[in-house]
Amino acid sequence: MMRTRLLWNVARCLWTRRALGPARRHRSGGSPQLEELFARGGPLRTYLERQAGSGPHVRARGSELVAAARLLSDKEQELRETERLLQDENEDLRKLAENEITSCQKEIAQLKHQIILLLVPSEETDENDLILEVTAGVGGQEAMLFTAEMFDMYQQYAAFKRWHFEILEYFPSEIGGLRHASASIGGSETYKHMKFEGGVHRVQRVPKTEKQGRIHTSTMTVAILPQPTEINLVINPKDLRIDTKRASGAGGQHVNTTDSAVRIVHLPTES
């Protein structure tokens, strides 16, 4: 029950971050939603403390999560100790402490994001390659320009991750935008890193096609489809029952001599 509630809070945090876009600068380097999720005495803190204090078999299964939780605790303790140096009379020491605090805040934010990703249950398809599809939505030519930018972004991200990127379809618009495109992406854990990109994306800006400087809202959709892995399927002919049917009654010259219906049943599964 606790893990279910915890995962729901994680999902709510991820959804809120996605809906609101980039968060403003926060004292600890994370968004307010992230800070609420990791609040002292909250369900996530309690869960991590239980994991850290559990038996060896549980620690072995979730060692990466436990290690990240312990590192987070150490970094937060280091941050609290460093913040005390801001009250020192030595100006050089205060400046050094400010730089160290900024570094600690970045590391703490990264650790929190890492813990959230570790809490998301893995899927069998996480290791699979994928098919990426992008389609322009509401917004006319501006939506197509936005779609082209998004497709280019995914292509550059694939190059950064050293993934294989093969364009399957590409339908450009008249002014350099993109109506629809699809690509095959292959590499290490491609679907695991890209599966949450699916959905409707929007942009609010002054389009290149706008003459009066008004802000427009345009949308595009992204579909992320895992590619199935190849399997070797062997069916023993002895496990098949083949039933044939012929038409009856008056008819053409082949009505009673040809098998017009064939049904194949796999006996072990009756399907």
Side-chain angles (χ1 to χ4, degrees):
M1 181 65 181
M2 179 178 180
R3 181 174 175 82
T4 303
R5 186 172 68 252
L6 177 61
L7 290 176
W8 168 250
N9 290 336
V10 171
R12 181 169 61 86
C13 176
L14 290 172
W15 174 258
T16 306
R17 284 174 48 214
R18 187 170 183 176
L20 295 178
R24 293 177 294 177
R25 189 81 175 175
H26 196 258
R27 180 176 177 272
S28 61
S31 66
Q33 293 78 21
L34 197 62
E35 295 306 311
E36 178 185 356
L37 190 62
F38 281 86
R40 293 285 178 182
L44 179 55
R45 289 285 185 178
T46 304
Y47 176 76
L48 294 177
E49 290 170 1
R50 287 184 180 179
Q51 287 292 103
S54 56
H57 65 285
V58 178
R59 287 201 297 269
R61 187 176 56 191
S63 57
E64 192 174 358
L65 175 62
V66 174
R70 289 176 176 171
L71 186 56
L72 174 63
S73 178
D74 293 342
K75 280 294 175 183
E76 289 178 333
Q77 178 64 27
E78 179 182 341
L79 177 62
R80 288 191 293 269
E81 294 175 354
T82 307
E83 285 177 337
R84 298 192 187 103
L85 298 178
L86 295 176
Q87 308 300 326
D88 196 274
E89 297 179 357
N90 191 321
E91 183 178 355
D92 293 336
L93 186 60
R94 290 199 304 269
K95 290 182 179 180
L96 185 63
E98 290 176 357
N99 294 334
E100 188 65 25
I101 287 173
T102 302
S103 177
C104 281
Q105 289 175 345
K106 290 181 180 180
E107 292 184 34
I108 288 173
Q110 292 174 355
L111 285 169
K112 289 179 178 179
H113 289 297
Q114 180 184 351
I115 289 173
I116 287 178
L117 292 177
L118 290 173
L119 286 169
V120 177
S122 60
E123 302 179 26
E124 294 182 359
T125 54
D126 280 350
E127 300 291 335
N128 290 25
D129 297 341
L130 61 90
I131 298 294
L132 166 70
E133 293 185 357
V134 296
T135 305
V138 178
Q141 291 292 339
E142 169 62 12
M144 298 179 192
L145 291 171
F146 177 46
T147 304
E149 294 173 3
M150 291 289 290
F151 190 74
D152 291 342
M153 179 194 70
Y154 289 128
Q155 188 171 10
Q156 293 175 20
Y157 180 69
F160 171 76
K161 300 286 287 186
R162 300 184 183 275
W163 292 341
H164 172 71
F165 191 96
E166 179 185 358
I167 298 178
L168 304 177
E169 294 179 322
Y170 197 91
F171 300 100
S173 67
E174 295 78 7
I175 62 173
L178 182 60
R179 298 178 184 273
H180 174 79
S182 63
S184 173
I185 305 178
S188 176
E189 297 183 334
T190 51
Y191 184 72
K192 179 180 179 180
H193 288 86
M194 293 284 292
K195 60 185 177 182
F196 296 114
E197 288 295 310
V200 178
H201 299 249
R202 71 170 185 171
V203 63
Q204 290 181 305
R205 63 186 181 187
V206 179
K208 295 180 180 179
T209 56
E210 172 60 42
K211 303 297 184 181
Q212 301 179 4
R214 294 174 297 183
I215 296 177
H216 288 222
T217 300
S218 303
T219 65
M220 56 85 65
T221 58
V222 176
I224 304 293
L225 309 173
Q227 295 190 31
T229 55
E230 295 183 2
I231 59 173
N232 293 323
L233 181 62
V234 179
I235 299 179
N236 191 338
K238 295 180 181 180
D239 293 336
L240 300 178
R241 186 182 74 234
I242 302 177
D243 302 326
T244 60
K245 304 293 182 180
R246 296 182 180 181
S248 60
Q253 59 183 347
H254 297 294
V255 69
N256 295 317
T257 60
T258 59
D259 296 328
S260 57
V262 179
R263 180 175 63 185
I264 301 177
V265 179
H266 187 243
L267 296 176
T269 60
E270 290 295 331
S271 60

